[in-house]
Every structure is written in C-alpha cells, then in structure tokens.
C-alpha cells in the first residue's frame, strides 16, 4: 500500500527491486525446510515436483539483475507471471505428497510443515501479485503518475473499503448455486441471512476473504442440506444459515451459524489437520488427483465458469493479470478436498486474524472469523529472524 499510495516510476521500480530481493530469500527458506525432511518423504514424486518448482524459481530470481528502467520491470513482470502460473500445481501436489507420506512422519510435524509452506506461499504470491497490479495500474490509460490511489477503491490488489455484507452476499449466491448443482434442482437450499453491523468496512485482499467465507458457507449449507435430508423433513424448508457481522474498534468478527447437526466427535481431532486421519485418506487422494491446478480462491467453486471476484474491472485492480485472484483452475462442484478449513485458517492468521469453530453435535456449528480492521498490521512473518520459522 505504501508503494502504491502515490505511485510514480521510481516507486514502481523500488517495488520491483523489493520483490526481486524478497522472493529468492523466502523461497530459499522453504527449500531448506524440504531438504530437512526425511529422505523417504522428500523423494515422493509429488513432493519432488514441488521441490524442483521451488528450486527453479529460486535459481531464476537470484540471477535477476537490479531493475533500473520500466523496460527492466516489464521483463521482470513477465517472469513473475510465468512463475505464478507454474506454481498453481503446488497445493494439490503438496497435499497429495503429504497424504502419501502420512505414515512416514508424525501428523503434527506434517501439519506444521504444510502450514509453514502455505503461509510462505501466500506471502510470496501477495508480494508478486501486488507488484503486478501496481505495474498494471501504472500503465493504465486513466492513470497519472503521482495520483494518490488512496482516493480510489483499490491500491493494487488491496480493496480499501471491503464491505463485509457485500462479500458475504456475493459468496452466498455462488455457494447456493454450487449446492444446487451438486445436490440436484429438487433439493431445498437453505437461505443465508446476514445481520448485524451491515456497513462494516475494512481493507483486505478480496480473493482471500472470498475463499475463507466461501469455504465456511459451503460447509454450513451442505451440512444443513444433509441433516435436513436425513431427518425426512421434505415438507418443511431447511433452517437458514445465519451470518452475524460485529464491528469493533480494531477488528470485525463474522459469525456463521448453522443447524446442520454439528461435527461428528471422531472428526474433531482432525478438523484443522491436512492429514485428516486414515479413514478418508484414499477418498481425498482420489479427489485431489482430479484437481491439477489450485489457486485457493472462491472462483474455483464456480459452477458455470462465469463467477468473477468483486474486484473485476475496477480501476487499480489486477483482474486481468495471471494472479491467484483469477479463475485459473477447475473443480467439480461436489468434489470435497478436506483442506478448506486448515487452509482458511492459514489465510486468516496470515492477515493477523483468526478462525475458530464451535460445534454442538446433533445441533450445529458456529464459525468465528476475526479480521483486523485497521489495515496497519504487518504480515505474520514480520522480521527476518521470524522467517526461519515461517
């Protein structure tokens, strides 16, 4: 946001050099993490592919010379775009590899490794995509160098006035369409009711918020449908999914409540785990094989391919760039990957927020998403020393 508030050629080049020096450093830490894995784990073909992607990216970016001109920046942005596209295979390959190696390492170590890699992946994509978005803004016909972007709705990928109610309603519409596609036209779909502080706004990257809200709503809507169907209540409409927005001075809390029967007790230990236990491992592997690319955005849940994020077409956004906010991957509507909750928590915590679930077995679930409202929090890898761990 600092680079973009009053964007000039020198600031754009400064942003490019920040990305140029930061990416290889962060990638190097993750390569070292993979080198520390047991030999039997790191030689898994899927994890080996991820390792090679990371090493190729590190080798590429460490050779990039200092960026001094707009032409240098254009070439650099081309390399960034290629890297973003190539790394869309990382999440499925990483998850498949972890599942296949789940007997070779303790589950808590695997989860810690996955969370670290995914949090670092978010950081690198945010850095790269923000620079691509600022470059696109700088070259847009409407832009005048030095114009304060803080008066517009976007600074690069960052939506300055993200209205919680609008995002929830947009995600809710997409999720209900998805549920109708997955369950058939005759199934009653629960309403999604939004109440509370409906005017609450905060700065955020829309694709991340849409993914978290989309996964939570998807889980709640499907749980209500299944619970309602099991109890033969065809003559009555299913209970609604209730979303409450609470705005405090420093944060916004979004509570999503459903009456979908709650989470089975035997699943609670695996709720935030990427491993999920041996019972569902084979099914998850079969499902993940069908998802060769994954950007981890709500757009992957689209039914007809026409769903686009709220930011599309707005000045200053990077809707047309090859970013993780674009619908670059496909996923059948009824395909459950079992990683929505842990990945959503990684997103939430990266932006200094939190995600918690409270389940009443036999009744329903309350999910609480806390979002930092002020927009002045550092990413949760703030210092160079902390990067050893994150």
């Amino acid at each position: 946001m600092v680079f973009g508030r009053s964007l000039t050629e020198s600031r754009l080049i400064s942003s490019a050099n920040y990305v140029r020096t930061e990416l290889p450093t962060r990638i190097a830490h993750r390569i070292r993490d993979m080198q520390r894995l047991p030999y039997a784990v790191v030689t898994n073909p899927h994890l080996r592919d991820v390792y090679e992607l990371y090493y190729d990216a590190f080798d590429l970016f460490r050779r990039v010379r200092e960026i001094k001109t707009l032409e240098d920046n254009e070439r650099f942005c081309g390399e960034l775009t290629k890297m973003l596209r190539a790394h869309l295979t990382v999440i499925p390959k990483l998850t498949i590899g972890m599942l296949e190696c789940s007997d070779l390492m303790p589950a808590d170590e695997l989860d810690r490794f996955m969370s670290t890699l995914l949090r670092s992946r978010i950081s690198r994509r945010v850095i790269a995509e923000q620079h691509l978005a600022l470059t696109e803004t700088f070259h847009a016909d409407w832009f005048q160098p030095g114009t304060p972007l803080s008066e517009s709705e976007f600074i690069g990928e960052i939506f300055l006035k993200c209205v919680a109610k609008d995002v929830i309603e947009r995600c809710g519409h997409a999720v209900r369409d998805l549920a109708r596609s997955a369950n058939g036209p005759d199934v009653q779909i629960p309403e999604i009711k939004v109440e509370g502080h409906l005017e609450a706004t905060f700065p955020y990257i829309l694709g991340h918020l849409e993914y978290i809200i989309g996964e939570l709503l998807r889980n709640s809507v499907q749980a209500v449908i299944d619970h309602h169907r099991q109890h033969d209540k065809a003559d009555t409409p299913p209970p609604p999914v209730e979303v409450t927005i609470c705005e405090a001075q420093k944060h916004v809390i979004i509570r999503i409540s459903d009456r979908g029967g709650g989470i089975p007790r035997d699943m609670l230990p695996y709720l935030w785990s990427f491993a999920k236990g041996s019972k569902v491992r084979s099914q998850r592997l079969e499902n993940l094989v069908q998802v060769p690319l994954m950007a981890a955005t709500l757009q992957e849940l689209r039914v007809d391919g026409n769903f686009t994020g709220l930011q599309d077409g707005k000045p200053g956004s990077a809707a047309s760039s090859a970013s993780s906010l674009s619908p670059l991957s496909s996923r059948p509507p009824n395909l459950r990957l079992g990683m929505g909750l842990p990945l959503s928590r990684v997103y939430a915590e990266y932006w200094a927020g939190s995600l918690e679930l409270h389940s009443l077995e036999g009744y329903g679930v309350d999910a609480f998403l806390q979002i930092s409202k002020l927009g002045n929090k550092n990413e949760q890898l703030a210092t160079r020393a902390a990067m050893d761990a994150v």
Side-chain angles (χ1 to χ4, degrees):
M1 288 177 67
V2 172
F3 282 125
R5 276 203 180 100
S6 183
L7 190 60
T8 61
E9 181 176 333
S10 63
R11 284 199 172 190
L12 184 65
I13 290 172
S14 296
S15 172
N17 282 306
Y18 171 73
V19 177
R20 176 183 66 86
T21 56
E22 201 65 20
L23 285 184
T25 305
R26 297 185 184 213
I27 293 171
H29 282 284
R30 303 293 71 82
I31 291 174
R32 187 176 65 181
D33 284 345
M34 284 186 270
Q35 288 172 344
R36 288 172 171 168
L37 291 172
Y39 182 76
V41 175
V42 81
T43 52
N44 175 277
H46 302 287
L47 294 179
R48 189 173 64 240
D49 287 348
V50 173
Y51 180 87
E52 288 173 357
L53 279 171
Y54 275 45
Y55 190 86
D56 289 346
F58 169 76
D59 197 44
L60 171 69
F61 287 119
R62 75 183 179 89
R63 297 172 187 271
V64 176
R65 299 184 178 222
E66 183 181 358
I67 294 160
K68 297 180 178 179
T69 66
L70 290 177
E71 289 74 20
D72 291 344
N73 181 56
E74 284 300 308
R75 286 191 292 273
F76 180 60
C77 287
E79 297 295 342
L80 278 181
T81 302
K82 287 181 194 173
M83 189 266 293
L84 289 172
R85 286 185 183 275
H87 283 232
L88 285 173
T89 63
V90 164
I91 293 180
K93 284 181 180 293
L94 195 58
T95 310
I96 292 171
M98 287 290 100
L99 286 171
E100 290 179 348
C101 297
S102 56
D103 294 330
L104 303 174
M105 278 179 71
D108 58 341
E109 288 186 25
L110 282 176
D111 282 330
R112 192 159 48 246
F113 172 78
M114 279 286 288
S115 295
T116 300
L117 240 66
L118 290 171
R119 189 176 288 115
S120 178
R121 179 183 185 274
I122 293 168
S123 79
R124 296 193 309 275
R125 294 189 81 88
V126 166
I127 289 169
E129 289 165 6
Q130 178 70 356
H131 179 66
L132 289 172
L134 292 177
T135 299
E136 185 177 315
T137 298
F138 187 82
H139 292 293
D141 294 336
W142 57 269
F143 178 72
Q144 295 293 324
T147 303
L149 287 182
S150 55
E151 296 176 3
S152 67
E153 292 185 328
F154 282 87
I155 294 181
E157 294 289 315
I158 301 161
F159 191 20
L160 296 179
K161 296 178 181 177
C162 187
V163 182
K165 171 178 171 287
D166 292 349
V167 176
I168 292 163
E169 288 181 347
R170 181 64 173 262
C171 292
H173 178 72
V175 165
R176 293 183 87 237
D177 285 348
L178 176 75
R180 199 170 285 110
S181 172
N183 295 279
D186 299 329
V187 172
Q188 295 188 73
I189 309 297
E191 281 187 63
I192 297 174
K193 293 185 176 179
V194 186
E195 57 188 12
H197 298 146
L198 303 182
E199 304 301 318
T201 64
F202 46 87
Y204 219 78
I205 291 186
L206 270 176
H208 296 182
L209 184 61
E210 287 173 347
Y211 179 77
I212 299 170
I213 298 290
E215 286 291 343
L216 294 175
L217 287 177
R218 182 182 188 186
N219 288 342
S220 288
V221 166
Q222 191 60 48
V224 170
I225 291 171
D226 293 342
H227 189 65
H228 190 259
R229 184 188 287 151
Q230 286 171 6
H231 291 78
D232 296 321
K233 298 178 181 176
D235 55 333
T236 60
V241 175
E242 298 176 349
V243 183
T244 307
I245 304 168
C246 176
E247 183 178 22
Q249 185 177 1
K250 294 183 179 180
H251 55 255
V252 172
I253 295 176
I254 299 172
R255 181 186 69 181
I256 298 176
S257 301
D258 68 65
R259 283 179 271 169
I263 299 166
R265 192 175 295 272
D266 60 345
M267 282 301 297
L268 287 176
Y270 307 108
L271 203 58
W272 303 108
S273 170
F274 289 94
K276 287 291 189 291
S278 57
K279 284 186 180 179
V280 294
R281 185 188 307 164
S282 59
Q283 184 59 53
R284 289 190 62 213
L285 283 170
E286 288 177 16
N287 290 350
L288 280 161
V289 168
Q290 300 179 52
V291 186
L293 302 176
M294 186 174 180
T297 61
L298 179 69
Q299 287 87 330
E300 291 168 339
L301 305 185
R302 67 200 186 286
V303 175
D304 55 5
N306 294 324
F307 179 83
T308 53
L310 293 170
Q311 77 279 17
D312 287 359
K314 296 287 185 68
S317 74
S320 61
S321 73
S323 76
S324 66
L325 305 187
S326 304
L328 295 177
S329 58
S330 58
R331 175 174 164 191
N334 57 348
L335 199 64
R336 305 304 296 267
L337 303 180
M339 59 189 301
L341 283 179
L343 190 52
S344 294
R345 177 178 267 186
V346 169
Y347 270 123
E349 291 179 348
Y350 176 77
W351 294 114
S354 63
L355 177 60
E356 300 292 339
L357 255 65
H358 299 281
S359 172
L360 291 172
E361 191 172 6
Y363 185 78
V365 171
D366 282 2
F368 292 87
L369 172 64
Q370 180 174 309
I371 294 164
S372 175
K373 184 185 173 189
L374 298 181
N376 61 359
K377 299 284 187 183
N378 287 330
E379 56 169 348
Q380 296 304 292
L381 353 140
T383 65
R384 179 64 57 200
M387 283 184 58
D388 284 341
V390 179

